[in-house]
Amino acid sequence: PPEENRLVIPAISINEPILESNSISVIERGGTWRRPNTSNPTQSDNTVIIGHRFFGNNISTFYNLDKLKIGDIIAVYWEGNENLYEVAESKVVDPSAVEIEESTTEKQLTLYTCTPVWTAKNRLVIIAKPLDPNSEKLSEDIL
């Protein structure tokens, strides 16, 4: 596994660092941001990771997030460990829908970005659940 915390989504060619900061401005030049006060993959809770679709005049990290399909695999490398998730849900919510960042009783990964492209009208949200360790989908298929 990579030494730095990373988000890898082969279906949409994402292999980006997960940055830590108190401000989203940390991803002005790309990458993803773990939302402060949310979980991390070592905990049984909701890990929330955000990325821009566009920033300024440039395509950014989550530009193709809307192309993810139910069943696609996501890898989160955190503190040297691989955490595999499977996309379970894709939805669009209002920007005021702060419940997407709320704590959960089970481990999950929430990714979100603005939608439609070029606006901040709504949020595109991807919910992924931990991959069953007995699944035939192996990390070799990820990287």
Side-chain angles (χ1 to χ4, degrees), residues 40-61:
N40 69 59
T42 67
Q43 301 165 324
S44 294
D45 204 335
N46 188 15
T47 301
V48 179
I49 299 176
I50 299 169
H52 291 300
R53 291 186 89 179
F54 268 89
F55 195 83
N57 291 322
N58 299 310
I59 290 175
S60 198
T61 305

Side-chain angles (χ1 to χ4, degrees), residues 54-127:
F54 268 89
F55 195 83
N57 291 322
N58 299 310
I59 290 175
S60 198
T61 305
F62 279 175
Y63 180 75
N64 288 316
L65 197 65
D66 63 327
K67 306 291 190 266
L68 278 180
K69 297 180 184 95
I70 304 301
D72 283 343
I73 304 302
I74 299 170
V76 176
Y77 295 94
W78 192 264
E79 297 176 350
N81 294 308
E82 180 182 67
N83 302 271
L84 299 178
Y85 298 85
E86 186 171 9
V87 174
E89 183 180 358
S90 175
K91 60 186 177 182
V92 174
V93 300
D94 189 81
S96 65
V98 295
E99 64 272 9
I100 63 173
E101 294 184 5
E102 289 179 352
S103 183
T104 54
T105 57
E106 295 181 355
K107 187 175 185 175
Q108 88 174 25
L109 175 67
T110 300
L111 308 177
Y112 75 85
T113 192
C114 294
T115 199
V117 175
W118 294 105
T119 74
K121 180 179 178 186
N122 293 305
R123 301 292 179 263
L124 170 63
V125 181
I126 302 294
I127 305 291

